[in-house]
Structure formats: C-alpha cells, structure tokens
Amino acid sequence: MKPFFPLLLALLLSHSAAAQSLDPQDPGKPLGASWPTYNGDYSGRRFSQLSQITGANVRNLGLVWTMDLGKEPIKGTPLVVDGVIYSSVPDKAWALDARTGRLLWHWENKTRGGTHIGHRGVAVPGDA
C-alpha cells in the first residue's frame, strides 16, 4: 500500500464521517473527513483542512487495520465519502469501511488480455 494510506486512515478515524458533498460554487468549503475527488475538493490544494492531528500528537497514531489489495500498486488517489474508502487498480475496484477495513464490495473485470497503458482511479457521482 502507499505510505500515505495509514495516515489517511488515521485522519478518518479521528473524525466522524458525516455526509459531505462538493459545491462547485464554493470550492473552498471544508469537507470534514471526506476526500471525494482526486484533489480532495475543487480547489486543487490536495490538502486536508482537518486539524485534530498535529505535530505534537502525530506520534500517538497507530495502524488500526490493513487490507491486501493484490500485487499491483495503487496509483489512483483513494476517495473517501461518508466513511467509505473507494480504491482501484486496473480492472478492479473496492469499497472498504474506513473504520474497520471491512470489505463492502469488490468489482473485477475479467480481462481477455491486452496491456493497460494507464489508470486514473475511481470517481464518485455528486449524489453519492
């Protein structure tokens, strides 16, 4: 897994995951514990506005759960909406409960061969 994944998990566990939605008219609106787009929100900052974890207390964080998603590295940004982590690799996608790591669903495309030249991750519709 990518090195930032445990930190993302710790951030999620330190806040309640309330329903969040993106408002294109207010791209800087704080989203709480959600990360529903590649950039987190429409601002493009790729920076969480969560403040409960600081330089003074980060050493108290610990790993709560892990999940083996196979041998292919995750290259797309995992998304988080309403306490669910969505992640993917070519031809596979997962939804995981952010608190427990429990698999909610897994999708796999049975490929008939060929080479993947790229992968951009998952997307969540506006009404998710």
Side-chain angles (χ1 to χ4, degrees):
M1 274 189 235
K2 294 287 187 191
F4 74 90
F5 205 68
L7 179 57
L8 174 64
L9 177 61
L11 289 170
L12 290 171
L13 294 175
S14 67
H15 291 78
S16 63
Q20 302 288 328
S21 61
L22 289 176
D23 180 359
Q25 303 305 314
D26 189 5
K29 176 183 172 189
L31 296 175
S34 287
W35 193 272
T37 73
Y38 172 81
N39 286 314
D41 60 22
Y42 290 137
S43 72
R45 286 187 298 253
R46 295 189 58 83
F47 180 78
S48 172
Q49 295 180 8
L50 300 177
S51 61
Q52 195 171 7
I53 298 172
T54 67
N57 66 18
V58 70
R59 69 179 171 275
N60 299 328
L61 296 178
L63 184 62
V64 177
W65 60 263
T66 65
M67 182 168 190
D68 183 5
L69 299 179
K71 296 179 180 181
E72 190 159 353
I74 296 172
K75 294 181 181 178
T77 300
L79 303 183
V80 181
V81 177
D82 295 335
V84 177
I85 297 174
Y86 300 93
S87 190
S88 65
V89 297
D91 291 327
K92 297 179 185 177
W94 296 267
L96 307 169
D97 181 292
R99 251 184 219 291
T100 65
R102 181 175 61 90
L103 179 66
L104 301 175
W105 55 258
H106 173 244
W107 172 84
E108 183 170 354
N109 179 43
K110 301 296 183 190
T111 183
R112 288 184 261 166
T115 302
H116 293 285
I117 59 171
H119 177 69
R120 299 294 183 244
V122 294
V124 177
D127 60 352

